[in-house]
């Protein structure tokens, strides 16, 4: 009896530490993050306005859930060491802001850093992990993005485990977004630590550029896509490869935005809008709220697409989905349009990692064009596929 008591005590102790909150991100998280568009210009008025616009624009109905304040919300620590928001930017405090966001049926996200400062130089969590986690729980935070600046001497896996354990101890289920830019192979250890991990340096607002910051680079949409490709075996429910926030609506051409959004959906990576959702063109709204494309991203299997082949300048990507369905995307990387005949019956899509096979010679699939929003026939008819310059054609195939 005594032995049993001690054994269960050990079990409970092991349970209380060393784990993440399971099941908080069974499909890729969807929401909005301030960094790509606003950088350090964050305030409670902005965040409330964004949350309102997420409801009014239809984004909430389309599935966007988290409103995440990235860097620069911080003020000082109080005399007991508890972090406080910037008094001028967030005069009503974080609890009030969280309550407001929750009252709209949305969830509240915040940002901190494993180092002693955040990347923008505000107080980081190093040495304050348990206290910060407690503060976030008291505020009603639902999502924490945790960054990797000023971390000299720290081991990445250990540092992220510390904040994981601190969040668990604080008792409020909080999604943990690991952000160390893929530097320490987070795909090898992140599954038990957080719910998503960034795979690369920051996304830059361009189609295919590298933007050199000196000690690190930011990357255009295609560059991140290509770097992400090899990581598909690590992706899955509750543990996602994070290709970074969306740049849709921030200034690229609409065709590029469409391609970028489609491929983030195909990758089964988080869909965190990064634009000013209070002022969107109709084209941007139509991209961000295309529910059929979002459904591909949110498919319960959570399988990241694989690159099947290239025809001319078009990469063909395939994403296996529930009920033996699949999505197929034809991404034209070039600055000129292209057109080709595609005889489905000559192709077999084989996914060796997730053990799926789609053969079109014996089975006929119906094809739904997800941007034209129309059914365009079946796979036993040879079709000509036209992809405009720097654009995409995306289909959902079902029997
Ligand atoms: C970077 C991070 C960005 C953003 C920024 C804030 O390290 O990758 O997404 O959070 O810090 O300073």
């Amino acid at each position: 009896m005594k032995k049993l008591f001690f054994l269960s005590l050990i079990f409970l102790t092991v349970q209380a530490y060393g784990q993440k909150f399971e099941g908080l991100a069974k499909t890729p998280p969807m929401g909005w993050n301030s960094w790509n568009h606003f950088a350090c210009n964050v305030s409670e008025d902005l965040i409330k306005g964004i949350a309102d616009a997420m409801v009014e624009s239809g984004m909430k109905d389309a599935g966007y859930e988290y409103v995440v304040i990235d860097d620069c919300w911080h003020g000082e620590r109080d005399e007991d060491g508890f972090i406080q928001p910037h008094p001028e930017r967030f005069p009503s405090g974080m609890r009030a802001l969280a309550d407001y966001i929750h009252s709209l049926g949305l969830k509240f996200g915040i940002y901190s850093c494993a180092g002693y400062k955040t990347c923008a130089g505000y107080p980081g969590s190093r040495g304050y992990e348990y206290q910060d986690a407690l503060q976030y729980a008291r505020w009603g935070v639902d999502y924490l993005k945790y960054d990797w600046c000023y971390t000299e001497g720290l081991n990445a896996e250990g540092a992220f485990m510390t904040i994981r354990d601190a969040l668990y101890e604080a008792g409020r289920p909080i999604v943990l977004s690991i952000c160390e830019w893929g530097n320490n192979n987070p795909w090898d250890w992140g599954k038990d630590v957080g719910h998503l991990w960034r795979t690369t340096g920051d996304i830059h607002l361009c189609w295919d550029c590298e933007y050199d910051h000196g000690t690190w680079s930011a990357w255009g949409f295609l560059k991140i896509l290509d770097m992400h490709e090899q990581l598909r075996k690590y992706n899955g429910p509750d543990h996602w490869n994070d290709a970074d926030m969306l740049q849709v609506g921030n200034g690229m051409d609409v065709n590029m935005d469409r391609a970028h959004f489609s491929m983030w959906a195909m990758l089964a990576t988080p869909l965190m809008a990064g634009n000013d959702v209070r002022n969107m063109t109709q084209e941007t709204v139509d991209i961000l709220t295309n529910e059929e494309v979002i459904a591909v991203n949110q498919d319960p299997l959570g399988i990241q697409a694989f690159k099947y082949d290239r025809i001319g300048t078009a990469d063909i990507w395939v994403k296996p989905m529930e009920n033996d369905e699949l999505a197929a995307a034809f991404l034209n990387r070039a600055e000129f349009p292209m057109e080709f005949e595609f005889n489905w019956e000559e192709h077999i899509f084989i996914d060796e990692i997730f053990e799926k096979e789609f053969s079109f010679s014996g089975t006929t699939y119906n094809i739904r064009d997800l941007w034209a929003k129309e059914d365009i026939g079946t796979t036993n008819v040879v079709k000509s596929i036209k992809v405009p310059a720097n654009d995409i054609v995306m289909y959902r195939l079902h029997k």
Side-chain angles (χ1 to χ4, degrees):
M1 198 60 195
K2 222 174 178 181
K3 209 168 160 194
L4 203 66
F5 172 76
F6 282 114
L7 273 177
S8 47
L9 206 66
I10 290 170
F11 180 71
L12 282 176
T13 318
V14 170
Q15 284 285 296
Y17 294 93
Q19 62 176 291
K20 72 178 191 186
F21 284 102
E22 301 283 348
L24 299 184
K26 287 187 180 150
T27 59
M30 292 178 65
W32 175 89
N33 174 298
S34 54
W35 185 254
N36 281 356
H37 191 89
F38 295 97
C40 271
N41 296 316
V42 289
S43 67
E44 69 182 38
D45 288 345
L46 169 76
I47 300 300
K48 286 165 100 173
I50 293 284
D52 291 341
M54 283 173 71
V55 176
E56 283 154 20
S57 64
M59 286 179 70
K60 180 189 167 214
D61 286 342
Y64 295 84
E65 190 176 20
Y66 295 99
V67 182
V68 183
I69 317 175
D70 206 283
D71 209 342
C72 310
W73 58 264
H74 316 70
E76 303 289 321
R77 293 186 180 280
D78 69 12
E79 59 208 9
D80 297 320
F82 284 102
I83 188 71
Q84 302 300 320
H86 192 287
E88 278 136 41
R89 293 180 187 156
F90 296 91
S92 313
M94 287 308 188
R95 178 77 226 187
L97 185 55
D99 287 347
Y100 184 78
I101 289 170
H102 290 149
S103 76
L104 298 178
L106 296 166
K107 291 184 174 168
F108 179 45
I110 215 164
Y111 161 103
S112 189
C113 186
Y116 63 93
K117 284 200 262 184
T118 71
C119 295
Y122 290 87
S125 289
R126 185 168 184 174
Y128 293 91
E129 293 88 349
Y130 280 74
Q131 210 170 355
D132 285 356
L134 192 59
Q135 184 76 317
Y136 304 152
R138 286 176 178 160
W139 284 344
V141 167
D142 305 294
Y143 182 110
L144 174 66
K145 173 174 169 183
Y146 204 61
D147 213 340
W148 192 240
C149 287
Y150 300 100
T151 52
E152 293 77 13
L154 285 182
N155 165 276
E157 181 178 359
F160 284 97
M161 281 167 72
T162 302
I163 195 68
R164 171 200 69 185
D165 295 351
L167 292 172
Y168 198 79
E169 177 74 1
R172 183 178 170 88
I174 293 180
V175 171
L176 177 56
S177 153
I178 297 170
C179 177
E180 53 73 82
W181 323 299
N183 286 6
N184 303 275
N185 297 354
W187 38 86
D188 283 336
W189 47 264
K191 188 176 175 186
D192 295 329
V193 179
H195 303 87
L196 59 155
W197 51 80
R198 278 274 298 281
T199 53
T200 69
D202 291 4
I203 190 166
H204 197 68
L205 181 59
C206 60
W207 177 251
D208 190 22
C209 69
E210 173 177 357
Y211 187 84
D212 187 358
H213 283 271
T215 52
W216 62 283
S217 283
W219 307 99
F221 147 73
L222 279 185
K223 292 270 189 302
I224 292 193
L225 175 65
D226 293 342
M227 288 187 256
H228 210 90
E229 188 188 346
Q230 300 309 322
L231 301 172
R232 66 184 297 266
K233 73 172 178 198
Y234 302 103
N235 206 53
D238 226 24
H239 53 94
W240 306 101
N241 291 322
D242 175 4
D244 206 0
M245 288 92 67
L246 293 161
Q247 289 286 13
V248 174
N250 278 339
M252 281 197 298
D253 295 342
V254 65
N255 47 303
M256 296 180 176
D257 274 358
R258 184 166 40 240
H260 168 35
F261 189 73
S262 304
M263 283 314 304
W264 262 224
M266 293 292 288
L267 291 177
T269 196
L271 294 180
M272 303 297 282
N275 59 316
D276 184 354
V277 299
R278 301 166 310 172
N279 300 299
M280 291 191 275
T281 62
Q282 192 54 45
E283 286 164 330
T284 296
V285 175
D286 291 346
I287 292 174
L288 288 175
T289 61
N290 184 325
E291 297 198 19
E292 294 186 69
V293 173
I294 291 171
V296 170
N297 174 266
Q298 295 288 302
D299 179 76
L301 294 188
I303 296 181
Q304 177 178 321
F306 62 95
K307 202 195 284 176
Y308 163 68
D309 202 357
R310 173 178 283 192
I311 296 184
T313 55
D315 285 341
I316 305 174
W317 289 81
V318 175
K319 182 181 196 292
M321 299 195 296
E322 206 180 41
N323 302 326
D324 290 329
E325 298 190 14
L326 66 150
F330 299 82
L331 169 69
N332 185 4
R333 301 172 72 107
E335 284 159 21
F336 45 85
M338 67 171 304
E339 182 169 359
F340 49 90
E341 302 260 284
F342 197 75
N343 183 355
W344 294 91
E345 293 187 353
E346 287 173 358
H347 296 271
I348 303 179
F349 300 155
I350 298 173
D351 177 352
E352 280 167 4
I353 292 176
F354 293 98
E355 297 178 353
K356 307 272 179 200
E357 189 173 310
F358 303 95
S359 161
F360 303 97
S361 52
T363 313
T364 303
Y365 288 79
N366 297 296
I367 307 173
R368 172 87 177 160
D369 183 324
L370 301 186
W371 287 109
K373 299 190 181 175
E374 59 189 25
D375 299 320
I376 58 157
T378 64
T379 48
N380 52 22
V381 180
V382 179
K383 275 249 171 241
S384 160
I385 299 177
K386 283 187 207 165
V387 197
N390 298 148
D391 206 335
I392 201 159
V393 167
M394 186 171 172
Y395 298 143
R396 183 179 185 120
L397 281 74
H398 60 97
K399 287 181 196 161

